[in-house]
Amino acid sequence: MKTAKNSLLCIGAMALMMSACAGGQQQETTLTKSGLDAAKFDTLINNKEVKLYTLKNESGMEVCITNYGGRVVSLVVNDKDGKPTDVVLGFDNIAQYADTLNSPTDYGSSVGRYANRICDGKFALGGVTYQLRQNDPHEGDTRTHCLHGGGATGWMNQVYDVVEANDSVLKLQIKAADGENGFPGNVVATTTYKVTADNVLDIVWEATTDKPTIINQTNHNYYNLSGDLENAAYDQVLYVNADSFTEADFSYMPTGKILPVEGTPMDFRTPHAVGDSIHSDYYQIKNAHGYDHNWCLNTAGDDTQVCASLYSPRTGIFMEMFTNEPGVQVYSGNFQGVGGEENIVRKLGKKYPQHVSVCLESQKYPDSPNHPEWASPVVTPEKPYYSHAAYKFSIK
């Protein structure tokens, strides 16, 4: 899902070696499969060390993650011809990720404390009304929502501590103080990324708090399974295992109504190309300039069932999603390539057009703190937070 303001052609079957001359001495630069130079992620932010970490398996899958925002920078899998293909959007250096003024983005991040929107940045808990950082204004609206935990000052723009790092697992931790961005409770949260032998990116979020609070984390990868980042991804085939979705108003805030997908362009129970309906006059799609909605999953918290999938007929890459959460936000890159974003250079010198990707974000429903009839995001000292999402890649 898009923040308020808000290539990837994988080359080489193995890490490339390049030579560079510096100070009269020859230095070797080792690139990842996706063409990343890890040295471009080595820095200090707020006096904390930032690096790029690489997870991989013997099947050729490679996932590169920076502990700045717990962001997935690249995700490489082999296509139907055995060609390594980077299937997520992003930058090739830490400077652009950290530049929240000129290139603000949630690319690949571990979003917290609360993914998605909270109406007017307010909610009540235990008889106390909390005012959160408001970072999501909309023209003609007197309200300004809280989006992704406060955006520029949320967890996606904080440096996580590295608890564990090896070839297949990266465990990151963040400590958030009581009152941070208006949220109650001192929180210790972890995000654990794991790459499995069967080409799964497995993500677990866990958190504890010293007093009642709300937590709703997600991963914000932008997927383009064709690896072609210079053209809209209209041919990506989407499936969502949901009979209904939460209606949104003009500011993308849930109205409280849950509507059936039957007979609408929101129906992806039978897989079809995103481009089939993304330019529909249906009021929900027209208002959002594409898809930016929460689907109410049929899986009832069973993370062994496929809740959504994405497929590229060009590369044959097929991605299945699993989660224990009740909802998934589908965002179709509606504000990429517009409003000046078309001029921002990303990985491998690419500039992204509108609708170049699809996000599949596991979550509690948006604005759940203000809708007690929906699954609760409340976390207490006696009830720690746990959330799970997995993305399995194969060839179809």
Side-chain angles (χ1 to χ4, degrees):
M1 183 187 58
K2 173 69 179 176
T3 58
K5 217 190 142 180
N6 280 267
S7 223
L8 298 179
L9 199 54
C10 235
I11 50 177
M14 60 176 61
L16 300 176
M17 300 300 292
M18 296 181 64
S19 294
C21 291
Q25 295 211 343
Q26 204 169 44
Q27 297 180 334
E28 285 187 340
T29 300
T30 303
L31 303 185
T32 67
K33 284 188 176 184
S34 54
L36 297 174
D37 178 359
K40 292 183 179 180
F41 289 83
D42 286 353
T43 191
L44 290 176
I45 297 178
N46 295 328
N47 293 317
K48 299 186 73 172
E49 186 177 48
V50 174
K51 296 182 73 67
L52 188 72
Y53 298 84
T54 301
L55 310 182
K56 54 191 175 182
N57 65 16
E58 293 184 358
S59 301
M61 183 175 180
E62 178 196 79
V63 181
C64 294
I65 303 167
T66 172
N67 59 314
Y68 177 74
R71 293 170 180 263
V72 174
V73 179
S74 66
L75 196 164
V76 171
V77 290
N78 292 333
D79 71 3
K80 61 186 178 182
D81 298 317
K83 180 181 181 180
T85 304
D86 188 355
V87 297
V88 298
L89 278 59
F91 297 114
D92 60 10
N93 63 87
I94 195 61
Q96 283 184 286
Y97 281 109
D99 186 355
T100 58
L101 291 178
N102 297 307
S103 54
T105 179
D106 44 25
Y107 286 157
S109 59
S110 183
V111 181
R113 286 188 195 191
Y114 199 93
N116 218 309
R117 293 175 171 87
I118 296 176
C119 187
D120 209 22
K122 293 181 180 178
F123 74 98
L125 181 61
V128 178
T129 297
Y130 293 94
Q131 178 63 66
L132 309 175
R133 182 173 188 266
Q134 296 166 286
N135 64 307
D136 187 34
H138 290 264
E139 186 176 352
D141 197 346
T142 59
R143 307 165 301 172
T144 300
H145 307 314
C146 178
L147 174 61
H148 289 339
T153 56
W155 292 358
M156 66 183 183
N157 289 302
Q158 304 297 320
V159 179
Y160 284 66
D161 295 319
V162 178
V163 177
E164 178 183 358
N166 57 48
D167 283 349
S168 61
V169 175
L170 178 65
K171 186 173 184 178
L172 305 173
Q173 182 184 86
I174 192 168
K175 295 180 180 179
D178 183 21
E180 176 201 60
N181 284 343
F183 289 93
N186 294 296
V187 168
V188 178
T190 61
T191 301
T192 304
Y193 291 101
K194 182 178 181 180
V195 169
T196 69
D198 55 346
N199 285 355
V200 174
L201 174 60
D202 188 271
I203 312 172
V204 171
W205 296 271
E206 297 173 282
T208 58
T209 180
D210 62 355
K211 71 178 183 181
T213 189
I214 57 171
I215 300 178
N216 182 38
Q217 290 200 256
T218 195
N219 170 260
H220 217 305
N221 280 348
Y222 287 64
Y223 290 101
N224 183 318
L225 303 185
S226 74
D228 174 10
L229 277 301
E230 294 183 304
N231 293 286
Y234 293 144
D235 63 344
Q236 290 199 109
V237 177
L238 176 66
Y239 163 74
V240 184
N241 186 359
D243 296 329
S244 57
F245 69 99
T246 51
E247 182 188 50
D249 68 15
F250 75 99
S251 68
Y252 316 135
M253 183 59 59
T255 64
K257 293 181 181 179
I258 294 180
L259 303 180
V261 300
E262 183 76 35
T264 78
M266 313 299 282
D267 192 349
F268 283 91
R269 293 174 297 181
T270 298
H272 64 86
V274 173
D276 290 347
S277 49
I278 201 168
H279 297 296
S280 168
D281 285 334
Y282 183 61
Y283 74 108
Q284 287 289 290
I285 296 175
K286 191 173 183 179
N287 177 67
H289 309 283
Y291 292 100
D292 191 0
H293 298 82
N294 170 72
W295 270 257
C296 307
L297 296 173
N298 294 332
T299 49
D302 183 354
D303 59 6
T304 66
Q305 293 187 45
V306 175
C307 69
S309 69
L310 199 62
Y311 169 64
S312 169
R314 280 189 277 173
T315 60
I317 296 174
F318 182 49
M319 181 183 79
E320 297 169 289
M321 179 183 179
F322 308 80
T323 185
N324 67 328
E325 294 294 352
V328 62
Q329 185 87 8
V330 177
Y331 173 59
S332 54
N334 307 329
F335 292 96
Q336 291 173 328
V338 297
E341 286 213 2
E342 66 272 20
N343 298 318
I344 300 176
V345 178
R346 276 82 170 196
K347 282 188 292 187
L348 299 188
K350 304 297 183 181
K351 296 180 180 180
Y352 299 158
Q354 187 182 34
H355 301 146
V356 72
S357 60
V358 172
C359 300
L360 297 173
E361 310 159 50
S362 58
Q363 62 178 6
K364 303 290 191 300
Y365 298 171
D367 201 32
S368 282
N370 294 310
H371 293 273
E373 70 275 20
W374 295 346
S376 175
V378 174
V379 179
T380 68
E382 298 77 29
K383 181 188 173 186
Y385 178 72
Y386 175 85
S387 183
H388 177 233
Y391 301 83
K392 183 174 183 178
F393 295 86
S394 60
I395 297 299
K396 180 178 175 181

